[in-house]
Amino acid sequence: MRRPVALRLQAALGTLALAAATGVVLSMPEAAAAAGGATGYATQNGGTTGGAGGQTVRATTGTAIHQALCGRASSSTPITIEVEGTINHGNTSKVSGDSCNTAADKIELKQISNVTLVGVGNGAVFDQLGIHIREASNIVIQNVTVRNVKKSGSPTSNGGDAIGMESDVRNVWVDHTTLEASGGESEGYDGLFDMKANTQYVTLSYSTLRNSGRGGLIGSSESDVSNGYVTFHHNLYENIDSRAPLLRGGTAHMYNNHYKGLSKSGINSRAGAKAKVDSNYFEDSKDVLGTFYTDAAGSWQVSGNIYDNVTWSQPGEDNNPAGPDPQSNTSVSIPYSYPLDDASCVPDVVSATAGANKGLKVSDGSCTPQNPDPTDPTDPTDPTDPDPTDPPTGTNLSIGAGSDGSSKASGTSYGDVRDGDLGTYWSPAGTTGSVSVKWSSATTVSKINIREAAGSAGAIGSYRVLNHDSGAVLASGSGAGVIGFQAVSLKKITFEITGASGTPRIAEFETYAG
């Protein structure tokens, strides 16, 4: 459903206001939002849209990026930050505010959600400065270069990770990036793409990782196994010692990647991890798949891969290479569809598409790079989206359930959203707040219907739907009406209003099983 012109104008005016408040220069002529849309596991758990539907600002320094984050109405107000130029320690200062938690030595995306960082113009380079994602969700990073981030020596940033995710991170899509170092741990560098401490639903696509001792990991130790559901596709791993990636627990899907010059090991599945390895091209490398440096075994499912000049070590107590004739020892079910290029053309396709400043080209499975989908992802037109004018059928599970929330205006009640009476309503204390429906036992829900009270239609702007039990984002977008998502069993579901024009009035928060 496309937004009315009036709402687009309102968004543009809001963007100008934010730009003026933060000193960030607004970019009008270039399309900043992520082209196409998220792929892989980032499409699950409610999907990954970043700052779609929010304001767009331009930043040429790290401080300006932090100012844009801190200038939002709340920590979840959607925003797209167009980045151009070199971001480094000299131009990246800590900025304070209620909607951010930043630091001076890194780009800090901490305790926030609904953010897109995208390189534009002549390109964006994060030089010796890592991107730090903590306790955050719905993040898109696209078309940027992150290089030479160190954990020792000078200067240091983000623990030595180019992009590092840690502590209850959900739904991150990193696309068309170049992540590179200039050596291994002895030279002060660590991982290029690390996920730790309960990080889930991540996709790394069309990216180049090179010249590093460590490509990246999922799980910081054999006991850190709450991470997973990560997709790696159409990436180039080049001149990497090991960890391409290292998996400790969890599930990962690798397809159509080109691995070249892995000197020690590649995909290292350990501690009960499962790796689905589809139609990749491994070249001039050693031990590209298996369990290495531990007796805590992982597993893999393989199909369609090409092994070109790959050597394999002998099995040992702490060494279990999958080759020289890799065979599947597990089965992995993938919940999303994906176009699969034949492995024979992967080097050419990846060469034309992977990395920053490649025009965001992608592949549709035909072995021919394609220009990105010009569809504006802030205005989804997916015909499968529910029509908000067509209420769902079945039993409204909210009737007779409990309710609560984070804020409410004087004289309104949370219970008014589940009483079946359109004449009563709940309002937050201001323009943002949340209201929940809860049950005494787990209830399956796949659709909600937010019905605004008479006289307040159109007041609700951006929103998130949350699984209160787990904190997972089930859906996000703008406007009231029917909202569908993958069926989930929970005891409490929350509708969080993150942006509005005026004071919203919710007459009914209906919930349905299907």
Side-chain angles (χ1 to χ4, degrees):
M1 182 178 68
R2 302 187 68 84
R3 293 178 296 165
V5 172
L7 289 182
R8 296 188 187 201
L9 177 59
Q10 182 183 47
L13 292 174
T15 305
L16 288 167
L18 178 61
T22 63
V24 180
V25 178
L26 174 68
S27 170
M28 295 299 289
E30 293 186 70
T39 55
Y41 274 115
T43 64
Q44 305 299 292
N45 191 45
T48 304
T49 56
Q55 299 169 330
T56 299
V57 300
R58 174 70 66 90
T60 58
T61 67
T63 302
I65 293 173
H66 287 160
Q67 286 173 331
L69 295 171
C70 297
R72 298 183 296 163
S74 74
S75 61
S76 59
T77 301
I79 189 169
T80 293
I81 305 173
E82 297 178 333
V83 184
E84 184 175 20
T86 300
I87 311 300
N88 55 35
H89 286 262
N91 63 31
T92 302
S93 301
K94 175 181 173 65
V95 177
S96 299
D98 293 338
S99 61
C100 62
N101 187 346
T102 71
D105 64 342
K106 59 184 75 71
I107 297 302
E108 193 91 312
L109 305 178
K110 185 175 182 179
Q111 297 168 343
I112 63 174
S113 60
N114 308 325
V115 173
T116 293
L117 288 180
V118 56
V120 297
N122 294 319
V125 176
F126 294 79
D127 185 32
Q128 303 181 76
L129 199 75
I131 298 177
H132 175 286
I133 305 173
R134 303 290 187 273
E135 301 171 66
S137 63
N138 196 24
I139 306 295
V140 174
I141 300 172
Q142 189 176 50
N143 200 39
V144 303
T145 294
V146 187
R147 68 188 184 196
N148 293 333
V149 181
K150 286 190 172 184
K151 69 174 182 178
S152 62
S154 180
T156 60
S157 175
N158 191 26
D161 296 337
I163 295 178
M165 291 159 272
E166 186 173 355
S167 299
D168 302 322
V169 173
R170 292 290 185 275
N171 291 87
V172 177
W173 178 35
V174 178
D175 178 65
H176 284 91
T177 62
T178 296
L179 311 177
E180 56 191 4
S182 296
E185 187 176 18
S186 61
E187 288 81 26
Y189 305 98
D190 197 8
L192 296 177
F193 194 71
D194 280 12
M195 290 156 275
K196 310 170 186 175
N198 197 24
T199 293
Q200 298 181 0
Y201 301 105
V202 176
T203 295
L204 176 67
S205 57
Y206 298 102
S207 293
T208 294
L209 298 86
R210 63 188 174 205
N211 303 335
S212 175
R214 296 171 172 175
L217 57 76
I218 302 172
S220 59
S221 68
E222 307 293 69
S223 61
D224 182 18
V225 293
S226 61
N227 310 280
Y229 305 116
V230 182
T231 302
F232 303 84
H233 75 89
H234 293 93
N235 302 300
L236 170 65
Y237 285 83
E238 183 176 27
N239 192 23
I240 302 286
D241 287 347
S242 62
R243 301 188 179 184
L246 164 60
L247 317 172
R248 292 179 170 118
T251 299
H253 184 199
M254 298 84 170
Y255 71 91
N256 286 160
N257 301 291
H258 184 195
Y259 302 87
K260 185 176 182 180
L262 307 182
S263 62
K264 296 181 179 178
S265 62
I267 300 170
N268 186 353
S269 181
R270 300 163 51 164
K274 290 186 174 184
K276 184 171 174 61
V277 186
D278 283 337
S279 297
N280 302 279
Y281 196 102
F282 299 95
E283 181 178 6
D284 299 337
S285 296
K286 177 185 177 183
D287 284 343
V288 297
L289 175 64
T291 295
F292 307 104
Y293 324 121
T294 182
D295 59 1
S299 56
W300 44 86
Q301 180 181 352
V302 295
S303 63
N305 301 290
I306 290 178
Y307 307 93
D308 180 1
N309 192 31
V310 171
T311 59
W312 302 90
S313 61
Q314 292 297 314
E317 182 178 353
D318 294 334
N319 210 50
N320 181 26
D325 181 22
Q327 300 294 316
S328 300
N329 56 15
T330 192
S331 178
V332 183
S333 177
I334 300 300
Y336 51 83
S337 60
Y338 54 100
L340 193 62
D341 289 307
D342 188 270
S344 62
C345 67
V346 162
D348 289 340
V349 170
V350 168
S351 177
T353 58
N357 306 315
K358 288 289 188 72
L360 301 181
K361 290 185 176 181
V362 297
S363 175
D364 62 1
S366 65
C367 286
T368 303
Q370 310 287 320
N371 288 322
D373 184 352
T375 301
D376 180 357
T378 64
D379 296 320
T381 56
D382 185 348
T384 64
D385 285 348
D387 183 349
T389 65
D390 183 15
T393 58
T395 301
N396 175 12
L397 303 174
S398 299
I399 301 297
S403 58
D404 62 21
S406 62
S407 62
K408 63 180 178 180
S410 176
T412 72
S413 168
Y414 300 125
D416 288 335
V417 304
R418 55 175 183 82
D419 60 1
D421 184 357
L422 292 175
T424 62
Y425 62 85
W426 165 84
S427 287
T431 57
T432 61
S434 64
V435 62
S436 303
V437 173
K438 58 184 180 179
W439 299 270
S440 59
S441 59
T443 300
T444 298
V445 179
S446 67
K447 193 175 294 183
I448 68 173
N449 188 17
I450 300 299
R451 306 182 69 176
E452 293 176 288
S456 64
I460 295 175
S462 55
Y463 67 77
R464 296 195 307 166
V465 182
L466 306 175
N467 177 342
H468 189 88
D469 301 353
S470 66
V473 179
L474 302 177
S476 61
S478 60
V482 179
I483 303 165
F485 42 85
Q486 188 172 5
V488 60
S489 179
L490 41 67
K491 290 186 177 181
K492 184 175 178 180
I493 187 169
T494 298
F495 183 74
E496 180 185 25
I497 302 170
T498 58
S501 57
T503 301
R505 296 178 178 181
I506 297 181
E508 290 298 301
F509 179 174
E510 301 174 352
T511 53
Y512 297 89

